[in-house]
Amino acid sequence: MNRDIVCIGAGYIGGPTMAVIAKMNPDRRVTVVDINAERIAAWNSPGFDLPVYEPGLVEIVKETRGKNLFFTTDIKAAVEGSDIVFVGVNTPTKMFGRGAGRASDLQFWEATAREIKSFAKSDKIVIEKSTLPVKTAAAMDAILNDRAKYRFTVLSNPEFLAEGTAIKDLLSPDRVLIGGPQDDAGRAAMEAVVDIYAAWVPREKILTTNVWSAELTKLAANAFLAQRVSSINAIAGLCEATGADVDEVARVIGADSRIGPKFLKAGPGFGGSCFKKDVLNLVYLCESFGLHTAAEYWVQVIRMNDHQQERIVSRLFREMFNTLANRKIALFGFAFKADTGDTRETPAGVVARLLAEERVRVSITDPKALENAKKDLKDVDCVTFEPDEYKAAEGADAVVLMTDWRHYPSLDWQRVFDLMRKPALVFDTRNCLDAAALRKIGFKVLNIGK
Ligand code: NAD
Ligand code: UGA
């Protein structure tokens, strides 16, 4: 078996993960392949104009690209040349047929398995890097090993990195999870993958389990995180009704070591490509096994999240004298969180659409996500895109801060106020601005959970 690695899928997961593996394993050749030629061209661009923005990523790609990290569309050559195959293709929610709106659409995964099988010229370890429903490995094993010339061992190695901190999370993960068959071939394959990570991750943080536990753990971990966000947002509504302050409540709940302080920030609700998709996937699994009450429990996590964005628009409506038509509202931030250009499932997208339905003139500004915002909202009239925050706010009745970009608190808010129509409203859905200072300038200020 050779030590070289191929990763199929050069997206948010494949690119950064393989860049770090290449950096930490300089003696291994790491090849990342994708069917999207434009994406591969961007990974290979001479000016390092990479398709994924992550702090620290470009430095690692500069260090490794062309040495032991390669990006290509030639899947055949890449699969032939490597015995360890990671698969990090997309697994969106299925939008048709059985399980529509809930189950994972596994067509990209299946196509990839068939490609691996047809191009293989030796035994391979095939690793699920994508997030997949429990038991996918069994389906893959059946496809790969049915009348196969070579032996394929399917492992699950889900990824826990968060966008915006991908490189930090990859370099010092809380844990790495590798699940595999509990037989000699499975254990040997798991050991081969442990070796890749052991180049920089302490052994005690590399956890091995059976395949089904690994697949389910990934869905469960995202569901728990999403559930925390929905729980604190549910409390936020109650804080607004009672005069409690959600940040104070969160600080004190989080001081209980059994609960812990992370993931208790109330806001516009969770976005990102995975939480909703993975919770829905869990719901579908529960339903498939007849666990309907468990399914309903997880559905509520999504309902609460949707409600949070509807609540933002309802509050704007109330505060702006029950009429929004023809008003101008500036959305500060469109990415689903700071430090990423990713806008998949972003709460700002939902709010922009709800405002557009009310015939609001929406102007959107974001330091990294404006191009994606334009694509996401290409079917929506009365939306404009403006890289400069001050221009976005010019003539606006309200600024709604949607993403907690670090520089927003230090904008010249007096200048923003002077540019806006009066009365001027700021709705800080991330509770990251100095509300007292804003009020002193003359703004009316709304927060979440205050
Ligand atoms: P993505 O859409 O950014 O990237 C997937 C890539 O796979 C695309 O570039 C696509 O062109 C490529 N692809 C699809 N079919 C292919 C094929 N047959 N051959 C070659 N390439 C193919 O998706 P992503 O955000 O990287 O997510 C990938 C998986 O990782 C998902 O299952 C997701 O749940 C999981 N995941 C993502 C994150 C994250 O932060 N984005 C974190 C953990 C897990
Ligand atoms: C999340 C998980 O954190 C990762 O462990 C996982 O690997 C990844 O999903 C995945 O499977 O794709 P990510 O979606 O990139 O990572 O970002 P998070 O930091 O988890 O934030 C998700 C959303 O929740 C964001 O919209 C964020 O603003 C929101 N959030 C997060 C809150 O509203 N409050 C919080 O306290 C934390």
Side-chain angles (χ1 to χ4, degrees):
M1 165 158 296
N2 75 36
R3 291 165 53 77
D4 293 352
I5 294 170
V6 60
C7 176
I8 303 176
Y12 282 86
I13 276 299
T17 312
M18 291 303 128
V20 168
I21 286 181
K23 175 184 163 69
M24 296 307 193
N25 289 270
D27 55 335
R28 291 178 194 264
R29 189 183 164 90
V30 179
T31 308
V32 191
V33 295
D34 206 292
I35 38 173
N36 183 335
E38 208 183 309
R39 230 176 197 184
I40 291 297
W43 282 112
N44 283 326
S45 64
F48 291 89
D49 196 8
L50 307 181
V52 170
Y53 169 72
E54 278 294 336
L57 174 64
V58 77
E59 289 79 2
I60 295 179
V61 175
K62 278 183 183 165
E63 189 186 325
T64 50
R65 196 179 77 188
K67 292 196 184 93
N68 70 326
L69 177 67
F70 302 90
F71 295 93
T72 175
T73 52
D74 189 348
I75 179 166
K76 181 171 183 285
V79 169
E80 273 177 16
S82 317
D83 289 341
I84 302 176
V85 186
F86 285 88
V87 185
V89 301
N90 36 331
T91 52
T93 303
K94 196 176 168 198
M95 297 317 282
F96 52 89
R98 194 170 290 201
R102 292 198 172 172
S104 277
D105 184 349
L106 296 179
Q107 58 173 311
F108 303 106
W109 234 99
E110 194 196 320
T112 311
R114 291 186 192 280
E115 276 172 336
I116 295 169
K117 186 173 178 177
S118 70
F119 298 140
K121 290 206 167 138
S122 59
D123 293 353
K124 309 259 177 243
I125 299 173
V126 177
I127 305 157
E128 299 174 344
K129 197 68 181 155
S130 306
T131 304
L132 294 161
V134 188
K135 295 282 178 186
T136 304
M140 293 308 145
D141 186 82
I143 292 172
L144 287 163
N145 287 310
D146 180 49
R147 273 161 281 212
K149 217 162 148 192
Y150 305 103
R151 178 78 211 155
F152 299 92
T153 309
V154 183
L155 305 184
S156 166
N157 168 223
E159 183 49 59
F160 296 106
L161 68 77
E163 287 181 32
T165 53
I167 299 303
K168 192 171 133 276
D169 296 342
L170 286 164
L171 288 174
S172 45
D174 284 348
R175 76 303 205 192
V176 167
L177 172 59
I178 301 164
Q182 303 296 300
D183 55 21
D184 286 348
R187 275 188 284 273
M190 280 198 276
E191 212 31 56
V193 180
V194 168
D195 273 351
I196 298 171
Y197 288 100
W200 80 98
V201 180
R203 282 266 173 171
E204 65 276 12
K205 289 195 172 180
I206 306 177
L207 311 179
T208 56
T209 64
N210 76 35
V211 198
W212 323 127
S213 301
E215 288 178 335
L216 182 57
T217 299
K218 174 62 197 177
L219 294 181
N222 272 358
F224 269 58
L225 292 170
Q227 176 266 329
R228 270 175 83 103
V229 176
S230 279
S231 293
I232 198 67
N233 284 337
I235 297 296
L238 206 51
C239 289
E240 287 156 27
T242 57
D245 177 326
V246 75
D247 288 336
E248 291 182 349
V249 175
R251 180 158 52 90
V252 183
I253 309 176
D256 184 329
S257 61
R258 293 169 301 175
I259 297 174
K262 293 183 182 165
F263 256 77
L264 286 179
K265 186 85 188 127
F270 56 78
S273 64
C274 294
F275 277 1
K276 186 173 179 189
K277 149 178 100 61
D278 293 348
V279 175
L280 287 172
N281 196 339
L282 196 62
V283 168
Y284 183 67
L285 274 173
C286 291
E287 281 170 351
S288 314
F289 290 103
L291 302 165
H292 299 294
T293 308
E296 270 169 39
Y297 172 78
W298 292 112
V299 163
Q300 285 304 323
V301 171
I302 305 280
R303 289 225 178 100
M304 184 61 228
N305 200 55
D306 294 343
H307 176 61
Q308 193 69 350
Q309 285 131 47
E310 286 153 17
R311 242 163 47 77
I312 289 172
V313 177
S314 302
R315 286 183 70 196
L316 278 171
F317 201 72
R318 265 201 319 275
E319 293 297 332
M320 295 174 78
F321 324 115
N322 296 320
T323 166
L324 292 177
N326 284 322
R327 305 285 201 104
K328 178 175 173 185
I329 296 184
L331 299 189
F332 276 29
F334 197 80
F336 79 97
K337 60 188 273 197
D339 287 328
T340 176
D342 196 346
T343 61
R344 292 178 289 179
E345 301 291 341
T346 180
V350 178
V351 169
R353 281 177 187 278
L354 289 173
L355 290 176
E357 273 172 28
E358 293 292 340
R359 307 211 175 145
V360 171
R361 291 176 292 128
V362 185
S363 80
I364 294 174
T365 181
D366 189 289
K368 292 282 177 209
L370 229 39
E371 288 313 309
N372 280 336
K374 284 180 196 165
K375 285 184 208 147
D376 295 352
L377 298 175
K378 61 176 183 299
D379 59 316
V380 181
D381 296 332
C382 60
V383 183
T384 52
F385 303 91
E386 180 49 69
D388 182 276
E389 289 94 2
Y390 301 101
K391 284 201 183 127
E394 204 169 346
D397 299 281
V399 165
V400 184
L401 187 146
M402 293 298 305
T403 313
D404 45 349
W405 284 104
R406 248 179 288 253
H407 68 284
Y408 284 164
S410 50
L411 288 175
D412 181 347
W413 284 96
Q414 179 67 56
R415 187 172 158 210
V416 174
F417 181 77
D418 293 342
L419 286 164
M420 288 172 67
R421 211 156 74 138
K422 311 297 175 311
L425 176 83
V426 170
F427 192 164
D428 176 9
T429 73
R430 299 281 182 170
N431 296 345
C432 66
L433 302 176
D434 181 344
L438 291 178
R439 286 198 180 97
K440 215 164 147 200
I441 291 172
F443 283 108
K444 180 171 182 71
V445 182
L446 296 182
N447 286 98
I448 294 280
K450 288 176 195 272

